[in-house]
Amino acid sequence: PTDSGAKRAFAFELFDDMRAAGMELGEATFTMLVRVCAVDDAPAEAEGVLAKMKARNLKLKLRTFSPLLRLRCRRGELAEALAVAAECRDKGIELSEAEHVALVDCRAGRLEAGGDAASLPGASVLDDLAADCHAPSRAAWPACRRYCAALGLTACAEDSAVAGDGACAVTGATLRSLDLSEAERKLLLEQIEGLVPAVDAKFEGQSSAQELERLAGRRMAQWRTFKAWLAKAGAPYDCIIDGANVGYHGANYAGAPDAVDFRQVDAVLRKCIDGGRRALVVLHARHLQDDRLPASARPLLHAWRRSKSLYSCALRNNDDWYWLYAAVAAGPGSLLVSNDEMRDHHFGMLSARAFLVWKERHLAKFELGGWRRD
């Protein structure tokens, strides 16, 4: 079908046929219907699909609510859009920049149409955007500029120099350094630790349920060993290096070696130490097996172990858990050296806002300059 109304009718007809055939209809199928309704400017029908999802106790996600929220915003239905946003918050679903920008733009439109700023709902939409999106993309700027103009703030600067002490050259205000509260950091550590025993059967072959349970138990025992080692390692580490990410940097060419480049890792480690950091390299044990270990790496590993600058997580573990936990546990002022954007599924299971705040403040990306392999 080419007509939007016909597309919606076709989608619902297909949905009914699938249900009649006894097919399992999950969150993704219902979300598709919500999107079709949003494209077709049919908010009531989208609400109806959401009601069916709730009746089935399906897990609702941001992608389920986002089409409806943005549709309400496009229609200028600010109160209804804010109600969708409030429901997201009640369910522990955090809005992304796209939803926040839609709300800001919607309220700006209502103000331009003569709405009274004091009585119009959503007075905190700009503050909410700032609280949840600490580094808004340029795509957010037009809506923010429009909102400021609607409030009568015509002098709006988009670029400003910021001094080393955080002073803004335009406003003179001192910018606040963003970081987690101690309670948020503790919660994030608990969430990271909660990932450890998870076992995905599809990656464990034909393992029985009993074998998977034993694997989960072994992982937790190895994790407790790691935490105990981290606590006994002396002065706290304030710089964690994602060894595999550094070691494989630049190795995406044809014929690249399968082994980690230990000289690259050592160069980054030396740089961190020379900068006054107590650095720790985290590497998976598979990179240290004899059949993968170049002879040139042995003296480096010996030096790292002697200085307590290396931790290797055991086989059938995910090294991401280890370096992420160590980096968060290091607290304020610490760094994680990695070019990993941390978008994998398990990162998505962490508290989105707390994780993004931590990542924005502590992730240090690296370049190797003119480094060349022999």
Side-chain angles (χ1 to χ4, degrees):
T2 55
D3 177 73
S4 59
K7 288 181 180 178
R8 177 159 48 96
F10 176 76
F12 275 92
E13 182 180 343
L14 180 61
F15 176 85
D16 290 337
D17 289 345
M18 292 167 65
R19 184 170 53 185
M23 297 178 66
E24 184 67 29
L25 301 179
E27 174 271 332
T29 305
F30 281 91
T31 295
M32 177 272 295
L33 284 179
V34 174
R35 289 174 176 169
V36 170
C37 293
V39 170
D40 198 27
D41 193 26
E45 286 82 349
E47 295 276 10
V49 175
L50 277 172
K52 291 178 180 178
M53 295 181 73
K54 294 170 187 175
R56 289 171 174 248
N57 292 319
L58 294 176
K59 181 176 177 60
L60 303 179
K61 301 180 180 180
L62 177 60
R63 68 182 187 182
T64 312
F65 287 101
S66 181
L68 176 60
L69 184 150
R70 289 193 278 177
L71 171 60
R72 293 293 192 186
C73 288
R74 288 197 302 272
R75 293 168 60 92
E77 298 168 348
L78 180 59
E80 291 82 353
L82 290 168
V84 177
E87 185 173 2
C88 287
R89 285 192 291 271
D90 290 344
K91 295 183 180 301
I93 300 172
E94 299 177 12
L95 302 184
S96 73
E97 179 183 292
E99 291 75 42
H100 281 297
V101 168
L103 290 167
V104 169
D105 201 52
C106 181
R107 193 167 196 267
R110 293 291 301 275
L111 289 170
E112 290 170 346
D116 177 53
S119 59
L120 199 64
S124 67
V125 290
L126 199 58
D127 290 336
D128 293 340
L129 168 64
D132 287 349
C133 307
H134 300 120
S137 70
R138 288 180 180 268
W141 291 11
C144 294
R145 190 188 309 112
R146 182 187 184 193
Y147 188 78
C148 290
L151 291 174
L153 305 173
T154 54
C156 185
E158 294 183 352
D159 294 286
S160 170
V162 179
D165 61 358
C168 173
V170 173
T171 65
T174 299
L175 302 182
R176 179 172 56 90
S177 177
L178 294 169
D179 211 336
L180 299 180
S181 67
E182 189 58 31
E184 289 173 323
R185 191 168 68 92
K186 182 180 178 182
L187 176 60
L188 190 55
L189 287 171
E190 291 173 353
Q191 290 178 329
I192 297 168
E193 190 163 8
L195 299 175
V196 176
V199 178
D200 193 334
K202 68 182 179 182
F203 293 116
E204 301 299 338
Q206 301 300 314
S207 301
S208 66
Q210 190 175 22
E211 289 171 331
L212 293 175
E213 186 176 352
R214 280 200 298 269
L215 174 57
R218 187 161 63 250
R219 279 184 177 169
M220 283 310 301
Q222 292 161 345
W223 180 259
R224 287 190 292 270
T225 299
F226 163 66
K227 289 179 65 179
W229 180 89
L230 201 60
K232 292 178 181 178
Y237 294 99
D238 62 0
C239 183
I240 309 301
I241 300 172
D242 176 1
N245 186 268
V246 175
Y248 281 123
H249 181 76
N252 57 347
Y253 57 91
D258 189 38
V260 162
D261 190 325
F262 289 88
R263 295 174 301 161
Q264 288 188 176
V265 181
D266 190 64
V268 172
L269 175 62
R270 294 301 110 204
K271 180 69 174 179
C272 295
I273 293 174
D274 291 346
R277 295 280 179 174
R278 183 157 194 247
L280 175 68
V281 175
V282 177
L283 268 172
H284 197 281
R286 69 175 178 274
H287 301 300
L288 309 179
Q289 293 175 323
D290 287 341
D291 59 341
R292 297 175 64 97
L293 195 61
S296 60
R298 298 181 189 278
L300 295 177
L301 290 177
H302 180 68
W304 296 353
R305 285 174 171 139
R306 189 173 61 244
S307 61
K308 294 184 179 178
S309 298
L310 172 68
Y311 192 90
S312 60
C313 68
L315 298 175
R316 301 181 84 175
N317 279 271
N318 190 327
D319 56 326
D320 291 1
W321 305 329
Y322 285 76
W323 52 251
L324 181 58
Y325 185 91
V328 176
S334 61
L335 296 177
L336 168 65
V337 181
S338 177
N339 286 340
D340 190 335
E341 290 292 345
M342 292 181 269
R343 294 182 179 132
D344 291 350
H345 171 68
H346 53 275
F347 295 120
M349 296 174 68
L350 304 174
S351 172
R353 183 178 182 278
F355 179 60
L356 291 175
V357 169
W358 178 85
K359 178 181 167 183
E360 178 70 26
R361 185 70 180 86
H362 296 271
L363 179 62
K365 297 187 177 182
F366 66 90
E367 294 180 358
L368 295 178
W371 181 273
R372 292 289 184 274
R373 293 180 177 82
D374 296 336

